[in-house]
Amino acid sequence: MNWGLAPLSAPEDRCACGFTPVTKVANTATHRQTGEVPHSPRSVTDTPASLLRGLVFDTLRAARDPATLLQAWRALEPAERAMPELALAALEQWDRLSGSGAAADALPGARRWLEESLQLGWGRYASLDADLRRRWLLRLEAELPRLGSDWLAQIEQAQQRQPADVGLQYLAGQACLQRQLWGKAATLLAQASQQLTDPELARRCWRSLARLAEERGDAEAAQAAWKKAALI
């Protein structure tokens, strides 16, 4: 996949950013653990998932600024960059490194990488386990102020196709709130608040309902919603 970032020239076993591709490290680590002679190239899917996950996190956490993180991402194999759990790890590390985000977003190719990474996770949402879904929902929610109006349409359509998915209902409500669609936001979030079992999502839902109540001047409902959020 073209991530909008120019390829780096690098020595055979190490990219210019100083990071060894995770697949190559996984080859070596797996060989040490199993005694198996690694094939070249070795598929990421042949590497134990826990080992790969640890190697990727180590690689991403070695980045000390957004520019280095982008280089670390480019050092991954294409198959690795297509894995939603790895894209999510990169996005979460980006948040930790970028602070307010304005300067980091101005890096060449950064905004396109962010949007394409979000689309990757969004496109695989239905196949993710519960924890990854929750983390992707929070990641998308955090990006709502900077996402285009086309995202609202995508989120609403997904929620309408899967009305039983309370996570999508929550995200659609937050997207409507971000666009100041007060009525739709209140309906979706009120419905989601009755079904959410994840404490963080439920707490955020009730806080949004409190703000909506304040927006319409309903002090009693706002106080009740703030209390609900505080008790979770």
Side-chain angles (χ1 to χ4, degrees):
M1 178 181 290
N2 180 0
W3 293 87
L5 300 170
L8 295 169
S9 299
E12 181 180 355
D13 289 344
R14 185 173 289 272
C15 294
C17 57
F19 294 98
T20 302
V22 171
T23 301
K24 184 173 289 295
V25 177
N27 272 341
T28 304
T30 303
H31 174 47
R32 288 173 180 167
Q33 288 186 1
T34 66
E36 175 188 351
V37 176
H39 299 286
S40 182
R42 180 184 178 87
S43 171
V44 172
T45 58
D46 292 336
T47 303
S50 59
L51 174 61
L52 177 60
R53 183 164 54 249
L55 290 168
V56 170
F57 274 112
D58 287 347
T59 299
L60 296 176
R61 286 170 180 164
R64 292 294 177 262
D65 56 69
T68 307
L69 178 60
L70 286 177
Q71 291 179 316
W73 179 259
R74 284 187 283 182
L76 300 179
E77 300 286 346
E80 293 163 349
R81 295 198 302 268
M83 298 172 69
E85 59 270 33
L86 304 194
L88 179 60
L91 288 166
E92 290 174 339
Q93 179 69 351
W94 180 270
D95 270 1
R96 287 188 283 270
L97 294 173
S98 63
S100 64
D105 283 3
L107 289 170
R111 192 62 221 168
R112 182 174 179 180
W113 168 70
L114 287 166
E115 292 184 359
E116 290 183 343
S117 295
L118 291 170
Q119 282 286 2
L120 171 64
W122 180 245
R124 307 281 183 84
Y125 176 84
S127 65
L128 302 178
D129 63 31
D131 180 62
L132 278 174
R133 285 189 183 196
R134 180 188 67 84
R135 288 166 61 196
W136 271 109
L137 288 171
L138 290 169
R139 179 70 256 131
L140 284 163
E141 181 189 352
E143 287 293 325
L144 285 174
R146 297 189 290 177
L147 294 178
S149 58
D150 58 315
W151 271 95
L152 175 60
Q154 289 185 59
I155 292 168
E156 286 188 312
Q157 290 166 12
Q159 190 274 322
Q160 290 165 7
R161 288 194 301 268
Q162 303 174 68
D165 189 320
V166 66
L168 290 177
Q169 191 173 56
Y170 165 84
L171 184 62
Q174 296 289 20
C176 289
L177 177 60
Q178 177 61 38
R179 298 297 190 276
Q180 299 184 359
L181 302 173
W182 311 126
K184 292 178 69 173
T187 298
L188 288 163
L189 291 172
Q191 292 172 350
S193 70
Q194 304 305 312
Q195 302 176 63
L196 284 168
T197 57
D198 179 80
E200 184 172 5
L201 292 178
R203 187 162 45 247
R204 297 176 72 86
C205 187
W206 280 109
R207 287 172 179 169
S208 292
L209 285 169
R211 289 192 289 270
L212 282 166
E214 290 175 345
E215 178 67 28
R216 64 176 182 269
D218 191 338
E220 184 177 351
Q223 183 178 5
W226 284 122
K227 183 176 180 180
K228 287 269 192 179
L231 291 174
I232 295 173

